[in-house]
Amino acid sequence: MPDTGGAEATGWTGYLAARGYVDDVLAEVGDVVAVHDRLIFASGPPRPAAWAQNVWFDPVRIRIRSIGEGAKALRALQRNWALYACRLHRRARLIQEQLPHVSAKPLVFPQPAPTAPLGSWTLLDEATLLAAPRCSSPFPNGEAQFVEDKTAPPNRAYLKLWEALTVLGRHPGPGERCLDLGSSPGGWTWVLQSLGARVVSVDKAPLAPEIAALAGVEFRQASAFALEPREIGPVDWLFSDVVCYPARLLGLVERWLESGLVRNLVCTLKFQGATDHAAARRFAAIPGARLMHLHHNKHELTWARLA
C-alpha cells in the first residue's frame, strides 16, 4: 500500500463507469463495497473492468473541516487533480478552485496524451474526501477531448479511432499498410490516410466519393467476412468497425491472427441488446490484448492487440 501521509487507506479500487454503463461495470467487478452515482468501489486490487472509463488505484479517505483544509490535504498528496462531483457540487467545486489549474484543452490529433500524473477525487459528505492520486486515465474522468474536424471526415466515427490511437500511444506511420474493415462511409479510412498510411478499405457499401478519391486509398466493395487473409496479403494494421455480433468478429480476428499476416489490430465490439460479457472476456483473454470503453464509444468496446 502506498504512503498516504495523514490520509486513511481504504484498501479499495474505484471504477468510474462510462455514462449509462454502471450495470456493465457491476457485472464485471462482482462484489462491491459502495456505489456513488457512476463511481463504484470494490475491495482489493484492480479487477478486469473494460466498461470503466477510469480506474482509481488505492483511494484514500480524508477527513476535513473546511474547504481550505480539503484543498490543502489534496495538494499534500500531489499537484494535479480532477474532480468527479456526484454530490455537494458547490462545496466540491470550491475545493477544486483552490487546487492548481489542470489544463484540459482538447488535443490536436495526433498530439500524444498528457503524461503528468492526474489524480481523481470526490466528496462523500461535507467532512469526507475520497481521493486517488493515481488513476488509469490521463484525462479528467477518462474523457478524452479533441479539436474536431467538422469538414473533411464523412461522419463522427473518426473521433473513436483518434481516441483509440491516442490511448494506445501508437498509430500507423507513413507507408504502412492498413486494412480498414466495415469502412463506409470512410471516417476511419480518412484518419489512416491522413497519417500517411496506405489503406485497403473494405465494405459492402461505398465510400464517400471524397474519401475514395484520396491518394493511397484502395477500395474493395466486399464483405469483411468473405475476405481471406491471403487475398489481402501482409498488413501492418487491421482495423474493424464492422457492425456484427462480437462472436462473429472474434472468428474474423482469430483467422487473421492464425494467418500471421497482421501485426497490429484495433477493433470495435458492438453489442446489440444485452451486453455479451462472455464474448468480451474471450477477446480480453487473447494474449497481449487490451479491452476498453473509450469516451467516444457507445454500447461497444474497443479491443486492441499491438505487436
Side-chain angles (χ1 to χ4, degrees):
M1 192 73 65
D3 180 16
T4 57
E8 175 191 349
T10 62
W12 301 346
T13 299
Y15 307 87
L16 182 62
R19 296 179 191 276
Y21 299 108
V22 169
D23 288 345
D24 290 295
V25 174
L26 291 172
E28 292 179 300
V29 170
D31 294 337
V32 301
V33 295
V35 178
H36 302 284
D37 191 37
R38 292 191 289 127
L39 185 56
I40 298 160
F41 291 99
S43 297
R47 307 172 191 178
W51 292 93
Q53 207 159 270
N54 195 19
V55 177
W56 295 24
F57 302 114
D58 302 309
V60 296
R61 187 182 292 107
I62 305 170
R63 308 294 181 183
I64 62 171
R65 291 168 294 184
S66 67
I67 290 167
E69 190 173 286
K72 182 179 179 181
L74 290 170
R75 288 197 302 269
L77 291 177
Q78 73 163 27
R79 182 187 187 279
N80 298 327
W81 292 96
L83 166 65
Y84 174 68
C86 56
R87 56 171 60 87
L88 299 168
H89 297 271
R90 183 174 183 276
R91 184 174 178 84
R93 187 173 65 253
L94 290 172
I95 294 173
Q96 183 69 30
E97 287 173 355
Q98 293 195 22
L99 298 174
H101 174 70
V102 175
S103 175
K105 290 182 180 178
L107 296 179
V108 178
F109 183 81
Q111 179 183 348
T115 56
L118 179 64
S120 296
W121 71 279
T122 193
L123 268 180
L124 296 183
D125 56 52
E126 285 198 358
T128 311
L129 290 176
L130 204 61
R134 187 169 64 93
C135 294
S136 65
S137 176
F139 302 103
N141 297 320
E143 298 180 356
Q145 304 287 350
F146 296 91
V147 176
E148 298 188 20
D149 187 324
K150 298 182 183 296
T151 57
N155 60 8
R156 291 177 56 79
Y158 74 96
L159 289 166
K160 185 166 50 179
L161 185 54
W162 274 6
E163 183 179 357
L165 297 174
T166 301
V167 170
L168 292 169
R170 292 263 307 278
H171 60 71
E176 287 196 290
R177 191 169 188 244
C178 298
L179 177 61
D180 182 13
L181 302 176
S183 58
S184 178
W188 284 26
T189 292
W190 173 80
V191 170
L192 302 172
Q193 192 273 347
S194 71
L195 291 168
R198 296 175 294 127
V199 188
V200 179
S201 187
V202 178
D203 203 307
K204 291 189 289 186
L207 289 178
E210 66 274 17
I211 304 301
L214 292 172
V217 172
E218 174 193 343
F219 178 62
R220 299 195 185 188
Q221 195 156 10
S223 166
F225 299 98
L227 289 177
E228 289 297 329
R230 65 178 180 273
E231 296 176 40
I232 299 296
V235 295
D236 297 294
W237 294 79
L238 183 152
F239 295 90
S240 171
D241 201 28
V242 174
V243 178
C244 67
Y245 287 106
R248 193 177 189 202
L249 178 65
L250 181 62
L252 183 151
V253 164
E254 289 175 337
R255 189 164 73 251
W256 272 93
L257 289 174
E258 289 166 4
S259 77
L261 294 173
V262 62
R263 296 176 56 240
N264 306 289
L265 302 95
V266 179
C267 303
T268 307
L269 281 66
K270 297 174 183 282
F271 300 96
Q272 302 170 52
T275 301
D276 187 346
H277 289 286
R281 286 192 294 270
R282 291 176 68 188
F283 272 94
I286 295 173
R290 182 171 178 181
L291 188 63
M292 53 194 168
H293 188 279
L294 303 173
H295 179 52
H296 292 95
N297 279 139
K298 297 176 183 177
H299 189 202
E300 56 194 20
L301 294 172
T302 294
W303 174 86
R305 181 184 180 275
L306 304 186

